[in-house]
Every structure is written in C-alpha cells, then in structure tokens.
Amino acid sequence: MCVALQQLLNCPFSGMTRKLFLESRALELIAHQLCQMSDARQLPAVVFHNNLTFFF
C-alpha cells in the first residue's frame, strides 16, 4: 500500500495520463483498504476489474 501511496504523491505524468494514473492508484488504495477491512471481519473481499469479479 505504501508503494501505491508514494506513486500517487510523486506522479511523473501530466494531462490525461496523469488523471488516469491517479485514478488507478486511488482505486488500488481503495482495494487495499477493502481487503484489510474484510480480513478484520473475516468476510471475502470482492474486487471488480475489467468486468471480472475476483473473490479473495
């Protein structure tokens, strides 16, 4: 999670590429948070990516 946060803070891109990069890192951080929450509750985590559903 720290790597995604560092990349979010130090984005080397500009314009539309920067926006897409920042959105992807934000989604990655949300996914990490959901996994941590599901681990704490002993519930399966569900991650949606490119119209696919993954259960952890």
Side-chain angles (χ1 to χ4, degrees), residues 10-19 21-22:
N10 300 313
C11 178
F13 304 110
S14 63
M16 185 56 115
T17 305
R18 178 182 176 85
K19 181 180 178 189
F21 182 83
L22 295 176

